Amino acid sequence: AQKVTQAQTEISVVEKEDVTLDCVYETRDTTYYLFWYKQPPSGELVFLIRRNSFDEQNEISGRYSWNFQKSTSSFNFTITASQVVDSAVYFCALSEATSNTGKLIFGQGTTLQVKP
Amino acid sequence: GAVVSQHPSWVICKSGTSVKIECRSLDFQATTMFWYRQFPKQSLMLMATSNEGSKATYEQGVEKDKFLINHASLTLSTLTVTSAHPEDSSFYICSAGQPHITDTQYFGPGTRLTVL
């Protein structure tokens, strides 16, 4: 069965600290896609990254970086030098290629609070 | 990224009335649209998958007669909450995608429904 687990419900850091949001997934598919979305207080989900199962290269985009490790079924997200504007709920999600429906399975989300 | 709009952004209605929510993909043709429901401090729950020109596929436990979904064109899907009750009050989010091309979904800003 497919499942996404974000064990951290809430994280609070002080501005400029680095923070890592954990994501662990379960799937029987060999081809799948992993996503991170940000949901600020306004409610709109903002797409951050998509990674396919065959690409284990880590990615960096500005202060954001992602660590994909198939051996541990994890796709963790790190924010470096956090800022108040990073405060939001972050969702990790999984899509299985064999379903061919594009359905996303979401984790429970991690609420990040960055204090000034 | 692609832009998806939702209308209205918020609505308050009386119990027993019906409410229609529109989801539009503004700059791409969405073969598939998804409707989610999100309760406060919870994750997104997929309600149904809507493919243009065909009937929507509802997730287990979602009443198809209560949540009517229409996907008449490649840029528009509507969700109608019929005979709304206070327990239907929630944040409804749509997303649009092209699963045959990419697994990335783009989300609308959401509609907050309050049923009195």
Side-chain angles (χ1 to χ4, degrees), chain B residues 9-68:
Chain B
S9 54
W10 59 271
V11 57
I12 301 173
C13 69
K14 292 183 179 178
S15 190
T17 60
S18 294
V19 174
K20 180 185 282 188
I21 302 170
E22 292 186 351
C23 177
R24 292 181 186 273
S25 57
L26 299 184
D27 52 2
F28 70 104
Q29 293 186 325
T31 51
T32 304
M33 288 185 172
F34 303 85
W35 287 95
Y36 296 85
R37 184 174 181 176
Q38 186 181 31
F39 290 108
K41 297 190 182 296
Q42 293 190 23
S43 188
L44 282 75
M45 182 194 81
L46 180 64
M47 298 174 67
T49 303
S50 162
N51 291 301
E52 186 264 338
S54 61
K55 288 184 179 179
T57 302
Y58 290 81
E59 295 298 303
Q60 197 171 10
V62 178
E63 299 175 58
K64 59 180 70 175
D65 293 332
K66 181 164 186 63
F67 298 100
L68 301 178

Side-chain angles (χ1 to χ4, degrees), chain A residues 9-98:
Chain A
T9 307
E10 292 185 21
I11 301 176
S12 181
V13 299
V14 176
E15 209 170 17
K16 296 185 183 176
E17 282 184 25
D18 298 347
V19 58
T20 295
L21 310 182
D22 298 333
C23 173
V24 174
Y25 62 92
E26 293 176 32
T27 177
R28 290 180 182 171
D29 271 24
T30 54
T31 304
Y32 51 89
Y33 304 90
L34 295 164
F35 302 81
W36 275 95
Y37 286 90
K38 174 183 180 179
Q39 187 178 39
S42 61
E44 182 171 0
L45 265 80
V46 177
F47 167 77
L48 295 178
I49 190 171
R50 168 181 179 266
R51 171 67 75 222
N52 76 54
S53 52
F54 297 109
D55 182 4
E56 283 195 74
Q57 259 194 327
N58 292 332
E59 179 151 342
I60 298 175
S61 175
R63 294 183 299 107
Y64 296 169
S65 62
W66 291 269
N67 185 315
F68 176 30
Q69 298 212 348
K70 287 179 76 171
S71 60
T72 55
S73 297
S74 64
F75 187 42
N76 296 338
F77 172 32
T78 297
I79 301 175
T80 303
S82 60
Q83 300 176 1
V84 173
V85 293
D86 296 328
S87 297
V89 182
Y90 290 86
F91 290 99
C92 179
L94 165 74
S95 172
E96 294 176 325
T98 53

